[in-house]
Amino acid sequence: MSADPVIVPARAFLFADPAAHSLSPGMHRAAFAFAGLSGTYEARRVPAAELPQAVAGLRAPGVLGANLSLPHKESALPLLDDLTPAARAIGAVNTVIHRAGRLTGENTDAPGLLAALEELEAPDELRGGRAGGPVVVLGAGGAARAAVYTALSLLERDVWVVNRTRARAEELAATWPAPNAGLRFQAADRNEVPWAQARLVINASSAGLNVPEDTPLPDFDFARLPENALVYDMVYKPADTRLMRDARAAGLRAANGLGMLAHQARLAFAAWTGVDVPAQVFHAALETEKTGGTGDAT
Ligand SMILES: NC(=O)c1ccc[n+]([C@@H]2O[C@H](COP(=O)([O-])OP(=O)(O)OC[C@H]3O[C@@H](n4cnc5c(N)ncnc54)[C@H](OP(=O)(O)O)[C@@H]3O)[C@@H](O)[C@H]2O)c1
């Protein structure tokens, strides 16, 4: 008589340091419940020195994969077997997918940002190519690299990157692969940007994160932007940042990074399970977490 097959519960993780206040477990648990799947999602504090061991553990049966957040998004790359084209181009992985002992690094921040922007902007405004005007990306870290990929490769728009430390923006532009279709990607100081054509500004810096009065554009005249411009702030805590308030005061549209957070989680869950749970499930879980008063990390 053969034994009943052992049902291994599906498991997914977040590796980050710190990890305690992550909003991801709430979203993924809601997704498992909605999809009718038995699975767990656990946020683990993994110090940098322990990342190799933690990643090796993802090869175990029943493990779907993991999300990676600070400080692991870049240092995990050499620990993985494959990278998707987006992860390779961005140079950062926020999602590891496990299949039969092999680990693939994916970056769902970039398509997550795209999906969030698609909820806010008409398709021909968003994908207007060069005619859509340049996209201004503020910041030069990992999130900025995802924003640059979204703007250059997914939206096919010219990109100007502006960072507090200009040398970092220069390095980002200098080391990025040549854009397709004659698109332009350059680092600039704030006063060099053609603001009058910039219909999309993305804050990918951490200015404003947990500091309500901090902004990546202090003493800036938002009337320099076209009146139909959208200011997208990847920061979502506080939910109403000073950048957003300043943009709105000038009559512009502004949104925080919760949409991107929800969509990057939706895309990671779909990559692990094959189930595309509606974004609304992730949005609703974030609302529950916010009213429950928990924290700020991916
Ligand atoms: N919504 C989402 O789903 C989502 C996803 C990913 C990231 N994010 C957010 O994106 C932000 C950046 O993340 P990251 O991983 O790219 O961080 P990072 O690699 O540490 O980069 C931080 C960037 O912010 C700049 N910066 C920090 N404080 C500043 C200030 N007071 N004024 C102007 N610039 C400042 C830094 O400039 P210097 O080079 O001059 O230091 C650097 O360019 C974080 O707030 C993160 O929470 C959101």
Side-chain angles (χ1 to χ4, degrees):
M1 198 174 89
S2 64
D4 289 339
V6 177
I7 308 292
V8 183
R11 289 181 297 153
F13 300 91
L14 167 68
F15 297 156
D17 188 13
H21 298 295
S22 172
L23 298 173
S24 291
M27 289 193 286
H28 287 287
R29 286 171 193 157
F32 277 123
F34 182 91
L37 296 174
S38 155
T40 61
Y41 185 102
E42 182 193 332
R44 280 196 183 164
R45 187 178 83 82
V46 174
E50 293 171 22
L51 185 67
Q53 195 186 350
V55 168
L58 297 176
R59 299 179 195 274
V63 175
L64 300 170
N67 285 134
L68 304 177
S69 191
L70 286 174
H72 304 314
K73 285 186 176 184
E74 289 156 36
S75 53
L77 266 67
L79 304 173
L80 306 173
D81 302 309
D82 303 302
L83 297 175
T84 63
R88 192 180 305 283
I90 296 165
V93 165
N94 78 329
T95 302
V96 179
I97 303 154
H98 173 224
R99 295 260 190 287
R102 285 187 73 75
L103 300 179
T104 300
E106 171 62 290
N107 189 307
T108 66
D109 281 338
L113 172 61
L114 175 68
L117 293 172
E118 283 172 340
E119 287 180 344
L120 298 165
E121 196 69 287
D124 44 346
E125 291 284 330
L126 209 50
R127 295 177 188 273
R130 296 203 81 172
V135 176
V136 180
V137 173
L138 307 173
R145 294 181 69 88
V148 167
Y149 182 83
T150 302
L152 265 180
S153 299
L154 305 181
L155 296 176
E156 301 192 315
R157 305 264 293 266
D158 289 342
V159 176
W160 294 70
V161 63
V162 177
N163 190 45
R164 179 176 63 179
T165 308
R166 178 169 175 153
R168 244 183 123 188
E170 296 279 6
E171 192 191 340
L172 174 54
T175 53
W176 198 269
N180 289 336
L183 290 171
R184 217 166 131 185
F185 174 31
Q186 66 188 78
D189 278 335
R190 214 171 92 167
N191 55 14
E192 296 166 338
V193 169
W195 291 106
Q197 285 84 51
R199 297 214 305 257
L200 178 59
V201 177
I202 300 171
N203 177 35
S205 82
S206 39
L209 177 66
N210 291 324
V211 187
E213 284 314 309
D214 202 4
T215 167
L217 289 177
D219 306 315
F220 179 71
D221 179 8
F222 283 82
R224 295 171 70 184
L225 289 159
E227 60 185 15
N228 60 351
L230 170 66
V231 175
Y232 191 84
D233 197 342
M234 283 195 193
V235 172
Y236 47 82
K237 190 186 177 192
D240 209 25
T241 64
R242 180 168 154 209
L243 177 71
M244 292 165 59
R245 294 197 304 276
D246 288 350
R248 284 199 194 113
L252 305 178
R253 292 170 301 142
N256 67 26
L258 281 171
M260 176 180 171
L261 186 68
H263 280 288
Q264 63 75 29
R266 175 180 67 79
L267 293 163
F269 190 86
W272 293 329
T273 63
V275 183
D276 193 3
V277 170
Q280 191 46 40
V281 172
F282 297 86
H283 284 296
L286 286 174
E287 281 302 315
T288 308
E289 296 278 327
K290 274 194 301 171
T291 49
T294 57
D296 63 342
T298 300

